[in-house]
Amino acid sequence: MTSLKRSLAADPHASNISSKVFVRSTKNGKVQKIVRELYLRQDIPCSSKLCSSCVAIAPADANGFGKFIRQRSGSIHFSDDLTVAPFILSDKPNTTKEYPNGHYLVPDTNALLNAMDLLEQSSAFYDVIILQTVLEELRNRSLPLYNRLLGLIKSEEKRFYVFFNEFRLETHVLREPGETINDRNDRAVRRAVKWYGEHLQQAVEASKSRRPCPAVVMLSDDKGNLRKAKADKLTACSLNAYVSQLDDADRLLDMINVSDIKQITRDGKAELFYPGYYSISKMNTGIKAGTLHQGIFSVSPYNYLEGSVHVPAFDKSLLILGRDNSNRAVQGDVVVVEVLPKSQWKAPSTKIIEEESLNKNENADAEEGEAVVTEQERRALQEEVKKIHGNNIEGRPQPTARVVGVFKRNWRQYVGHVDSSSSSITKQGRKQQTVFLIPMDKRIPKIRIRTRQTDELMGKRVLVTIDSWDQDSRYPVGHFVRSLGELETKGAETEALLLEYDVQYRPFPKAVLDCLPAAGHDWKVPVSTDDAGWRGRKDLRDLLVCSIDPVGCQDIDDALHARALPNGNLEVGVHIADVSHFVKPNNAMDAEASIRGTTVYLVDKRIDMLPMLLGTGLCSLKPYVERYAFSVIWEVTQDADIVSSYFTKSVIRSREAFSYEQAQLRIDDRSQKDDLTKGMRMLLMLSKKLRQKRMDAGALNLASPEVRVQTESETSDPVDVKTKELLDTNSLVEEFMLLANISVASKIYSAFPQTALLRRHAPPPKNNFEELSNQLKVKRGLELKTESSKALADSLDTCVDPRETFFNTLVRILATRCMMSAEYFCSGTQAYPEYRHYGLASEIYTHFTSPIRRYADLVAHRQLAAAIEYEPIDPSIRSKSKLEGVCKNINVRHRNAQMAGRASIEYYVGQALKGRVIEEDGFVMKIFSNGFVVFVPRFGIEGLIRLRDLAMPEPEVIFDADEYILSTKGSRVVKVELFEKVKVKINDVKEESTGKRKLKMELIG
């Protein structure tokens, strides 16, 4: 066997080469010896503006090719440019009392794990040296923190510099025999700190200036590393010690990760409240054997002590009852569960259990003597266990399980408010104390945080992050990130919901704006058709094109036309903004759009996916101006049968931008006989036939509560709430957008069968409808058939109550909640039968018609352009693995955008009704043993009415689970049945548990 390892004897740079030898076993069982050589250099610059020697040597590498490592816009790469990149570290770094001559910071991995929120602050932490050793270790330890650090490295203002210490001869260290990797990395950090100190001292002395040499400070919370650094006479300190000398120290100290809080607050051995987790190997073995199961942990919005995990091995979700069984799992965590014996299986809860009503006035400092389950919680659970199971679907026992491990923590930053009852009024001054933060999301447990700002944080929206949840802590432990402002103020509440749903709302960075056309708003479609911009485009400016959108729409994605053909058929066109002309693959704008995933629409604002110049300017298909478009054009019969279709890049000139209401009036006005109006009438006629074809194929006509909040034009303050009225023109646009999406899906799939970006809607498991089916059968004698989408659609049509027209809409709303979520996917990851969109009854589907506001559509545009050979396809959208990552992100972003929009409407509805008392009709949509949920169509809201809301003292209850009837006696006598129409009084109250203003309902009569 020939060795490829070369001899170093004749190499003049042999002393600068470090070798690493390791062995690897191959698939066929052989052992392969691998030698990896590392070339150590002396020209990697320190990047301090105090140093002239690095400027002199930086451009040339060991072979004199003029390459050197550069850091530009956050990407780190080699450059052939012989000009030295601008040095990053200031020649006048910040000073403190401890470091009056200024200082550079060198954090180790431990410091970055504990203080990323600190590093992102604008008031401190400038001139930071990020060592290659630390950067790589952070990437292995926490990818989210690594990505946040890359964001800081991109920032020109913060002055973060990546120093490749592993490639610099003077700072490279070899692992010693018996030395752990962690100890070796700590030693590498200390070596780099020592070199930087000596190097800068020499640089300052060589400059012969009187400028003092700044200190090079190693930041670490590792006591062993700090001790060794001080033994080496290096400048080093802990995060606490460093932050304590900064201005605004009280606020900044609260932002340090306090996962070691138990060491501070307790003496002696800590009591363990929760069982330990299984080892990774034990969990993997159990999952393979089928004795353990993996899934995502979800918490009931009505009972915080009831969780569930859906796993493929069971038809129904596994129930997780009580804190001890949930074992420190938090909403969204990927957990491993063990099924409990069948004797312990229970029915889902029929009782509302809220944490704030059971665990009020807890002392956040107290932990000793606590039980993981409080006495109040134990009583509530026992009442559930004693419940007699009836014959109804809800009463049947389900498999229960307990959490034995967590594969992935999906913790994020949480918004909430400080529980005033957890603050000790005896503590004075700025002494740190422990308080509870109550998250806005009721599914998240209270979070312990330590703060010196208790008084300032009372009555504020606060952002925190969870650091740990150990066995010896009843609640998770976290730290303060920042205050968002006063509770109930528009700014604080809007930012809170954007943070809660992880909406990217910061201004577009300079690198993104640099990708915009240099002409800005003056950009126009080139006059000459010989211009490169016209290449491959069809001139459709003579077509009578118009757009139909909601009132006030500025980001106009789509426009339509229709005209009669000489053969008696019709030509119909859907023209979509050609965003892909302006947003090229793999540039900064494309990267930002892929992260944002979608535009988010709130009541008072829009969080754009693309900069406004494109979204509401150059891409928007505004009337009376020429625009680039991507057109789908069909020839159809009078019966809406498709004869042919083709796709082309085009130039259009929209004749008018209608609102839905304006378009409806234009169509209905028989005095309008111009060609544009005739085309709109053709579109309406065809849309009705297309819709009927979809319904005949089994498409579902579902419903969701939709209202529109009217606001003041100048202040955006809400003044009224109206139910959205759907017109024929709404359906007109919807039908042709669906048709375009289906046509494009077929085209890109035929061109790229393994990598087409599509959208699927899986059929719901049959048991998803069991509860609703039983409710309809018991309360109305109706049968809900679910064997196919057609059967479901037909049976939904029969779910009517002659006495109440809204009943059918209510059933459709409930049926929608039984559905699976539609999702984007890469075609090569599913079998063709799984492509089907259940709700639309379509074999294949994608999103193409909204590229201004959805990244999925932008990808579809690029794939369609390649499919029609307009341009070659970019490798990034031919990679199945990359597209899977894109799909995963945009699925999350799409759901978050929907939830953020709903939360915004909920907030503004509450504000619109603030101070008002209104009586409205509602419908009972869910019954518990101690309360019921009422839906009010007028405002599109649902509210919980508990027994304690009916009267004081709380009336006695008689709950008939079989018949879905809740009756009370004693202090108040009422009888409430599922689907019953009731009258409620609505007023606004500030919800104690979340700090949000919500609408409270009271039963009348």
Side-chain angles (χ1 to χ4, degrees), residues 5-17 37 39 63:
K5 184 179 179 183
R6 62 185 176 81
S7 171
L8 301 179
D11 193 332
H13 300 290
S15 61
N16 290 4
I17 298 174
E37 293 181 348
Y39 289 80
N63 295 313

Side-chain angles (χ1 to χ4, degrees), residues 109-121 125 130 138 142 144-152 158 160 239 255-257 413 479 481:
T109 310
N110 184 284
L112 292 178
L113 289 169
N114 288 343
M116 193 59 71
D117 293 318
L118 274 173
L119 294 173
E120 291 171 335
Q121 293 301 296
F125 292 91
I130 303 297
L138 182 68
S142 173
L145 291 180
Y146 169 81
N147 288 328
R148 287 170 66 183
L149 181 59
L150 289 186
L152 289 170
K158 289 291 284 182
F160 276 53
L239 281 167
M255 299 172 69
I256 298 175
N257 183 321
Q413 292 182 326
H479 68 266
V481 176

Side-chain angles (χ1 to χ4, degrees), residues 122-155:
S122 58
S123 60
F125 292 91
Y126 290 83
D127 298 302
V128 179
I129 300 163
I130 303 297
L131 300 179
Q132 174 192 359
T133 305
V134 172
L135 189 66
E136 291 173 353
E137 192 173 10
L138 182 68
R139 183 175 187 174
N140 293 330
R141 296 279 297 276
S142 173
L143 194 57
L145 291 180
Y146 169 81
N147 288 328
R148 287 170 66 183
L149 181 59
L150 289 186
L152 289 170
I153 292 167
K154 291 179 186 179
S155 168

Side-chain angles (χ1 to χ4, degrees), residues 293 307-309 311 313-321 337-348 396-402:
H293 306 274
S308 63
V309 177
V311 299
F314 289 83
D315 291 335
K316 287 191 173 184
S317 295
L318 300 175
L319 291 179
I320 315 290
L321 301 178
V337 297
E338 182 176 59
V339 179
L340 296 173
K342 199 165 185 177
S343 59
Q344 297 182 38
W345 291 8
K346 298 181 176 67
R396 293 178 188 170
Q398 278 183 223
T400 55
R402 66 187 184 99

Side-chain angles (χ1 to χ4, degrees), residues 700 702-703 761-773 775-776 784 786 792 796 811-821 838:
L700 296 172
L702 298 173
H761 183 210
K766 188 177 179 180
N767 55 45
N768 279 25
F769 284 98
E770 280 186 354
E771 184 178 335
L772 179 59
S773 296
Q775 291 169 346
L776 290 169
L784 195 64
T786 59
L792 177 60
L796 284 173
V811 173
R812 291 181 190 274
I813 290 172
L814 294 172
T816 303
R817 298 179 183 184
C818 299
M819 295 288 173
M820 306 291 284
S821 295
Y838 179 82

Side-chain angles (χ1 to χ4, degrees), residues 37 165 331 337 349 357 473 519 604 620 655 744 776 849 918 967:
E37 293 181 348
N165 62 302
Q331 170 74 24
V337 297
S349 173
S357 63
S473 178
D604 65 328
S620 183
R655 298 303 194 269
V744 170
L776 290 169
T849 55
I918 298 173
S967 304

Side-chain angles (χ1 to χ4, degrees), residues 359-364 418-424 458 992:
N359 299 327
K360 278 187 176 181
N361 304 317
E362 284 188 300
N363 184 349
V418 173
D419 181 3
S420 58
S421 67
S422 68
S423 171
S424 173
M458 288 298 173
E992 185 180 345

